[in-house]
């Protein structure tokens, strides 16, 4: 096992997983502190490097695109202090850092891990429940339902409608943008069925406006906790499910089975198949009744 312990944090590698535990140094950002330990499976790793420096070096773990929901929603906009995949290494520990890099690289070669993008998340995202107060509101998420509440900094036009609560199943997209310079950032949820263009975050009841304060990066944790429960952006579109009820009913009405000759034995087999589909939950009660009647008319 390879291990490197620094004020900035501790990284260990057992051949299968890189475990990252944030340190308590003042340079460790709130996001890393609140995220806690991150277990990165080897199959999620695209590469690792060590960048030596005169006073301190940098150990960097590069993940495959699309493997981590946090990196997916932040899109390279995380500050250095908030990046969980960067470790500051003291100059006298350069040898340990280089050994750590060699161990991970050798494992990647041995296991022939692909470095390309993934079409599914390989990390579970932040633990829930999670609640963060920043900008003009507070967001709480329990893994199923989101609650947005407002504070004294919220515009009246937004706060007058009261708190907003909705299920993650109703969320179509989540977006986190940090404040940069004089431009405010936001955490925005787009709900399914929304057609009109969203208003500015200041007035959007499904967005929290961020002003660039210390706790703003924590909203990225909420965003990633939601994102990991949404369809992966690189996943193939779901294929349309077959319509056994329609096919069977139409075939029966036409005087034939889609696959078998129109005799009593075939019709009995079809009834048994419909019963099994209904018992397994594939067919609703109404669908089962309609299809059964269509088959019975054949007798």
């Amino acid at each position: 096992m390879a291990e490197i312990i620094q004020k900035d944090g501790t990284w260990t590698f057992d051949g299968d997983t890189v475990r990252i535990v944030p340190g308590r140094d003042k340079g460790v950002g709130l996001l890393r502190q609140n995220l806690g330990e991150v277990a990165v499976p080897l199959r999620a790793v695209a590469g690792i490097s060590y960048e030596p420096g005169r006073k301190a070096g940098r150990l960097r773990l590069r993940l495959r695109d699309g493997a981590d929901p946090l990196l997916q929603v932040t899109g390279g906009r995380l500050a250095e202090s908030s990046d969980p995949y960067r470790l500051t290494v003291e100059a006298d520990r350069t040898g340990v850092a280089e050994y750590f890099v060699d161990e991970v690289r050798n494992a990647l070669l041995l296991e022939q891990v692909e470095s390309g993008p993934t079409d599914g998340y390989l990390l579970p995202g932040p633990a829930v429940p999670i609640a963060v107060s920043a900008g003009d509101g507070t967001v709480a998420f329990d893994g199923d339902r989101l609650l947005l509440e407002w504070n004294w900094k919220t515009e009246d036009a937004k706060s007058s409608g009261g708190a907003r609560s909705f299920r993650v199943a109703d969320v179509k997209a989540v977006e986190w943008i940090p404040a940069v310079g004089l431009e405010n950032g936001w955490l925005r949820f787009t709900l399914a069925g929304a057609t009109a263009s969203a208003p500015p975050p200041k007035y959007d009841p499904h967005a929290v406006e961020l002003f660039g304060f210390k706790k703003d990066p924590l909203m990225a944790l909420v965003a990633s906790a939601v994102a990991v429960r949404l369809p992966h952006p690189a996943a193939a579109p779901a294929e349309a499910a077959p319509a056994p009820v329609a096919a069977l009913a139409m075939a029966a009405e036409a005087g034939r089975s889609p696959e078998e000759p129109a005799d009593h034995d075939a019709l009995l087999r079809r009834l048994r198949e419909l019963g099994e589909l209904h018992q397994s939950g594939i067919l609703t009660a109404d669908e089962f009744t309609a299809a059964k009647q269509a088959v019975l008319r054949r007798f």
Side-chain angles (χ1 to χ4, degrees), residues 166-255:
F166 46 90
R167 298 188 64 187
V168 70
D170 298 323
V171 177
K172 181 171 65 175
V174 58
E175 181 184 37
W176 175 83
I177 300 293
V180 178
L182 299 178
E183 296 293 327
N184 291 340
W186 61 82
L187 170 65
R188 190 198 303 273
F189 302 99
T190 302
L191 302 188
T195 55
S197 58
K202 179 185 293 188
Y203 306 108
D204 188 349
H206 298 112
V208 174
E209 188 176 30
L210 304 175
F211 306 129
F213 297 141
K214 186 177 181 180
K215 292 185 178 181
D216 281 11
L218 296 182
M219 284 295 183
L221 296 181
V222 179
S224 58
V226 172
V228 77
R229 290 165 172 82
L230 302 181
H232 193 281
E239 295 183 1
V245 177
L248 291 172
M250 290 176 62
E253 288 290 354

Side-chain angles (χ1 to χ4, degrees), residues 248 257-260 266-274 295:
L248 291 172
S257 169
E259 298 176 356
E260 295 137 349
L267 295 176
L268 289 172
R269 285 197 297 272
R270 185 63 65 199
L271 285 175
R272 285 195 295 270
E273 291 172 0
L274 290 172
V295 175

Side-chain angles (χ1 to χ4, degrees), residues 38-216:
V38 179
V40 183
L42 186 65
R43 63 194 179 100
V45 177
I48 187 172
S49 63
Y50 175 67
E51 305 163 2
R54 187 173 61 180
K55 293 185 177 180
R58 294 284 188 276
L59 191 60
R60 296 184 185 273
L61 190 69
R62 184 167 60 87
L63 272 59
R64 298 170 62 187
D65 290 342
D68 180 18
L70 176 62
L71 297 184
Q72 184 70 36
V73 297
T74 54
R77 295 182 291 264
L78 279 179
E80 284 276 317
S81 62
S82 297
D83 186 354
Y85 305 113
R86 175 201 61 81
L87 182 71
T88 299
V89 179
E90 297 171 3
D92 62 350
R93 305 300 287 172
T94 295
V96 179
E98 291 175 342
Y99 172 75
F100 193 96
V101 168
D102 288 342
E103 288 293 293
V104 176
R105 285 178 176 173
N106 289 338
L108 290 172
L109 289 173
L110 183 64
E111 298 296 330
Q112 297 183 337
V113 176
E114 295 184 10
S115 60
T118 69
D119 59 3
Y121 293 120
L122 303 180
L123 277 78
V128 293
I130 183 173
V132 175
S133 295
D136 69 350
T138 297
V139 183
F141 180 48
D142 63 4
D144 175 56
R145 185 168 290 277
L146 285 141
L147 176 65
L148 277 63
E149 297 179 300
W150 316 117
N151 56 37
W152 64 271
K153 298 186 287 291
T154 311
E155 287 287 326
D156 291 341
K158 182 161 71 172
S159 63
S160 61
R164 288 291 192 274
S165 179
F166 46 90
R167 298 188 64 187
V168 70
D170 298 323
V171 177
K172 181 171 65 175
V174 58
E175 181 184 37
W176 175 83
I177 300 293
V180 178
L182 299 178
E183 296 293 327
N184 291 340
W186 61 82
L187 170 65
R188 190 198 303 273
F189 302 99
T190 302
L191 302 188
T195 55
S197 58
K202 179 185 293 188
Y203 306 108
D204 188 349
H206 298 112
V208 174
E209 188 176 30
L210 304 175
F211 306 129
F213 297 141
K214 186 177 181 180
K215 292 185 178 181
D216 281 11

